[in-house]
Coordinates of all heavy atoms in Angstrom, one line a residue:
F1 N 15.0 27.5 -16.2 CA 14.7 26.5 -15.3 C 15.9 26.1 -14.4 O 17.0 26.1 -15.1 CB 14.0 25.3 -15.9 CG 12.8 25.6 -16.7 CD1 12.7 25.6 -18.0 CD2 11.6 25.9 -16.0 CE1 11.7 25.9 -18.7 CE2 10.4 26.2 -16.6 CZ 10.4 26.2 -18.0
N2 N 15.8 25.7 -13.2 CA 16.9 25.2 -12.4 C 17.2 23.8 -12.7 O 16.5 23.1 -13.5 CB 16.6 25.4 -10.9 CG 15.6 24.5 -10.4 OD1 15.3 23.4 -10.9 ND2 14.9 24.9 -9.2
K3 N 18.4 23.4 -12.2 CA 18.9 22.1 -12.6 C 17.9 20.9 -12.1 O 17.8 20.0 -12.8 CB 20.2 21.9 -11.9 CG 20.9 20.5 -12.0 CD 22.2 20.5 -11.3 CE 22.7 19.1 -11.2 NZ 23.8 18.9 -10.4
D4 N 17.3 21.1 -10.9 CA 16.4 19.9 -10.4 C 15.2 19.8 -11.4 O 14.8 18.7 -11.7 CB 15.9 20.3 -9.0 CG 17.0 20.2 -8.0 OD1 18.0 19.5 -8.3 OD2 17.0 21.0 -7.0
Y5 N 14.7 20.9 -11.9 CA 13.5 20.9 -12.8 C 13.9 20.1 -14.0 O 13.2 19.3 -14.6 CB 13.0 22.3 -13.0 CG 11.9 22.2 -14.2 CD1 10.6 21.9 -13.8 CD2 12.2 22.5 -15.4 CE1 9.6 21.9 -14.7 CE2 11.2 22.3 -16.4 CZ 9.9 22.1 -16.0 OH 8.9 22.0 -17.0
L6 N 15.1 20.6 -14.6 CA 15.5 19.9 -15.8 C 15.7 18.4 -15.8 O 15.5 17.7 -16.7 CB 16.8 20.7 -16.4 CG 16.6 22.2 -16.8 CD1 17.9 22.8 -17.1 CD2 15.6 22.2 -18.0
E7 N 16.3 18.0 -14.6 CA 16.5 16.6 -14.3 C 15.2 15.9 -14.3 O 15.0 14.7 -14.9 CB 17.3 16.3 -13.0 CG 18.7 16.6 -13.2 CD 19.5 16.6 -11.9 OE1 19.0 15.9 -10.9 OE2 20.7 17.0 -11.8
L8 N 14.2 16.4 -13.6 CA 12.9 15.8 -13.5 C 12.2 15.8 -14.8 O 11.7 14.8 -15.2 CB 12.1 16.7 -12.5 CG 10.7 16.2 -12.2 CD1 10.8 14.8 -11.5 CD2 9.9 17.1 -11.2
H9 N 12.3 16.9 -15.5 CA 11.8 16.9 -16.9 C 12.5 15.8 -17.9 O 11.7 15.1 -18.5 CB 12.0 18.3 -17.5 CG 11.5 18.4 -19.0 ND1 10.2 18.5 -19.2 CD2 12.1 18.5 -20.1 CE1 10.0 18.6 -20.5 NE2 11.2 18.7 -21.1
N10 N 13.7 15.6 -17.7 CA 14.4 14.5 -18.5 C 13.9 13.2 -18.1 O 13.7 12.3 -18.9 CB 15.9 14.7 -18.4 CG 16.4 15.9 -19.2 OD1 15.9 16.4 -20.0 ND2 17.6 16.3 -18.7
E11 N 13.7 12.9 -16.8 CA 13.3 11.7 -16.2 C 11.9 11.4 -16.8 O 11.5 10.3 -17.1 CB 13.3 11.6 -14.8 CG 14.7 11.5 -14.2 CD 14.6 11.5 -12.7 OE1 13.7 11.0 -12.0 OE2 15.7 12.0 -12.2
L12 N 11.0 12.4 -16.7 CA 9.7 12.2 -17.3 C 9.6 12.0 -18.7 O 8.8 11.1 -19.1 CB 8.9 13.6 -17.0 CG 7.4 13.5 -17.4 CD1 6.6 12.4 -16.7 CD2 6.8 14.9 -17.0
N13 N 10.5 12.5 -19.5 CA 10.5 12.2 -20.9 C 11.0 10.8 -21.1 O 10.5 10.1 -22.0 CB 11.5 13.2 -21.6 CG 10.8 14.5 -21.9 OD1 9.6 14.6 -21.9 ND2 11.7 15.5 -22.1
K14 N 12.0 10.3 -20.3 CA 12.4 8.9 -20.4 C 11.3 8.0 -20.1 O 11.1 7.0 -20.8 CB 13.6 8.6 -19.6 CG 14.9 9.3 -20.0 CD 16.0 9.0 -19.0 CE 17.3 9.7 -19.3 NZ 18.3 9.6 -18.3
E15 N 10.5 8.2 -19.0 CA 9.4 7.4 -18.7 C 8.3 7.4 -19.8 O 7.7 6.4 -20.0 CB 8.8 8.0 -17.4 CG 7.8 7.1 -16.7 CD 8.3 5.8 -16.2 OE1 9.5 5.8 -15.8 OE2 7.6 4.8 -16.3
R16 N 8.1 8.5 -20.4 CA 7.2 8.6 -21.5 C 7.7 7.7 -22.6 O 6.8 7.0 -23.3 CB 6.9 10.0 -22.0 CG 6.1 10.8 -21.1 CD 5.9 12.2 -21.6 NE 5.1 13.1 -20.7 CZ 5.3 14.4 -20.5 NH1 6.2 15.0 -21.2 NH2 4.6 15.0 -19.6
E17 N 8.9 7.7 -23.0 CA 9.5 6.9 -24.0 C 9.3 5.4 -23.7 O 8.9 4.7 -24.5 CB 10.9 7.2 -24.2 CG 11.6 6.3 -25.2 CD 13.1 6.5 -25.3 OE1 13.7 7.4 -24.6 OE2 13.7 5.7 -26.2
I18 N 9.6 5.1 -22.4 CA 9.3 3.7 -22.0 C 7.9 3.3 -22.2 O 7.6 2.2 -22.7 CB 9.9 3.5 -20.6 CG1 11.4 3.6 -20.5 CG2 9.5 2.1 -20.0 CD1 12.0 3.8 -19.2
D19 N 7.0 4.1 -21.7 CA 5.6 3.9 -21.8 C 5.1 3.7 -23.2 O 4.2 2.9 -23.5 CB 4.8 4.9 -21.1 CG 4.9 4.8 -19.6 OD1 5.3 3.8 -19.0 OD2 4.5 5.9 -18.9
S20 N 5.8 4.4 -24.1 CA 5.3 4.3 -25.5 C 5.8 3.1 -26.2 O 5.3 2.6 -27.1 CB 5.8 5.6 -26.3 OG 7.2 5.5 -26.5
I21 N 6.8 2.5 -25.6 CA 7.4 1.2 -26.1 C 6.8 0.0 -25.4 O 6.3 -0.9 -26.1 CB 8.9 1.2 -26.0 CG1 9.6 2.2 -26.9 CG2 9.5 -0.2 -26.3 CD1 11.1 2.4 -26.6
L22 N 6.7 0.1 -24.2 CA 6.2 -1.1 -23.4 C 4.7 -1.1 -23.2 O 4.1 -0.7 -22.2 CB 6.9 -1.1 -22.0 CG 8.4 -1.3 -21.9 CD1 8.9 -1.3 -20.5 CD2 8.8 -2.5 -22.7
T23 N 4.0 -1.5 -24.3 CA 2.5 -1.5 -24.3 C 2.1 -3.0 -24.1 O 3.0 -3.9 -24.2 CB 2.0 -1.0 -25.5 OG1 2.4 -1.9 -26.6 CG2 2.4 0.5 -25.8
E24 N 0.9 -3.2 -23.8 CA 0.3 -4.6 -23.6 C 0.5 -5.3 -25.0 O 0.8 -6.4 -25.0 CB -1.1 -4.5 -23.2 CG -1.3 -4.0 -21.8 CD -0.6 -5.0 -20.7 OE1 -0.4 -6.2 -20.9 OE2 -0.1 -4.4 -19.8
D25 N 0.4 -4.7 -26.1 CA 0.5 -5.3 -27.4 C 2.0 -5.8 -27.5 O 2.2 -6.9 -28.1 CB 0.2 -4.3 -28.6 CG -1.3 -4.1 -28.7 OD1 -2.1 -5.0 -28.2 OD2 -1.8 -3.1 -29.2
F26 N 2.9 -4.9 -27.1 CA 4.3 -5.2 -27.2 C 4.6 -6.5 -26.4 O 5.3 -7.4 -26.7 CB 5.2 -4.1 -26.7 CG 6.7 -4.4 -26.6 CD1 7.4 -4.3 -27.6 CD2 7.2 -4.7 -25.3 CE1 8.8 -4.6 -27.5 CE2 8.5 -5.1 -25.2 CZ 9.3 -5.0 -26.4
C27 N 4.0 -6.5 -25.2 CA 4.2 -7.6 -24.2 C 3.8 -8.9 -24.8 O 4.3 -10.0 -24.5 CB 3.5 -7.3 -22.8 SG 4.3 -6.0 -21.9
R28 N 2.7 -8.9 -25.6 CA 2.2 -10.1 -26.2 C 3.3 -10.7 -27.2 O 3.3 -11.9 -27.6 CB 0.9 -9.9 -26.9 CG -0.2 -9.9 -25.9 CD -1.6 -9.9 -26.6 NE -2.1 -8.6 -27.0 CZ -2.7 -7.6 -26.3 NH1 -2.8 -7.9 -25.0 NH2 -3.0 -6.6 -26.8
L29 N 4.1 -9.7 -27.8 CA 5.1 -10.2 -28.7 C 6.3 -10.7 -28.2 O 7.1 -11.3 -28.8 CB 5.3 -9.0 -29.7 CG 4.2 -8.5 -30.6 CD1 4.7 -7.2 -31.3 CD2 3.8 -9.6 -31.5
V30 N 6.5 -10.4 -26.9 CA 7.8 -10.7 -26.2 C 7.9 -12.2 -26.0 O 6.9 -12.9 -25.5 CB 8.0 -10.0 -24.8 CG1 9.1 -10.5 -24.0 CG2 8.0 -8.5 -25.1
N31 N 9.0 -12.8 -26.3 CA 9.2 -14.2 -26.3 C 9.6 -14.5 -24.8 O 10.6 -14.2 -24.3 CB 10.3 -14.6 -27.1 CG 10.6 -16.1 -27.1 OD1 10.1 -16.9 -26.3 ND2 11.3 -16.6 -28.1
K32 N 8.7 -15.3 -24.1 CA 9.0 -15.6 -22.6 C 10.3 -16.4 -22.5 O 10.9 -16.3 -21.5 CB 7.9 -16.5 -22.2 CG 6.7 -15.8 -21.6 CD 5.8 -16.7 -20.7 CE 5.4 -17.9 -21.3 NZ 4.3 -18.6 -20.5
R33 N 10.7 -17.1 -23.5 CA 11.9 -17.9 -23.4 C 13.2 -17.0 -23.4 O 14.2 -17.4 -23.0 CB 12.0 -18.9 -24.7 CG 11.0 -20.0 -24.6 CD 11.2 -20.9 -25.7 NE 10.0 -21.9 -25.7 CZ 9.4 -22.1 -26.8 NH1 9.7 -21.6 -27.9 NH2 8.4 -22.9 -26.7
K34 N 13.0 -15.7 -23.7 CA 14.1 -14.8 -23.6 C 14.1 -14.1 -22.2 O 15.2 -13.8 -21.6 CB 14.1 -13.7 -24.7 CG 14.1 -14.2 -26.1 CD 15.5 -14.4 -26.4 CE 15.5 -14.8 -27.9 NZ 16.9 -14.7 -28.4
V35 N 12.9 -13.9 -21.6 CA 12.7 -13.2 -20.4 C 13.1 -14.1 -19.3 O 13.8 -13.7 -18.2 CB 11.4 -12.6 -20.2 CG1 11.2 -11.9 -18.9 CG2 11.1 -11.6 -21.3
I36 N 12.6 -15.3 -19.3 CA 12.8 -16.3 -18.1 C 14.3 -16.5 -17.8 O 14.6 -16.3 -16.6 CB 12.1 -17.6 -18.5 CG1 10.6 -17.5 -18.5 CG2 12.5 -18.7 -17.4 CD1 9.8 -18.6 -19.0

């Protein structure tokens, strides 16, 4: 694969990792007092 494809593939994997962590259930556990 060329460099552009590999970069896009890596970005997609990062996005999948983020999506697996940032779920609605996770958001209910987040302390608003830390985010504000």
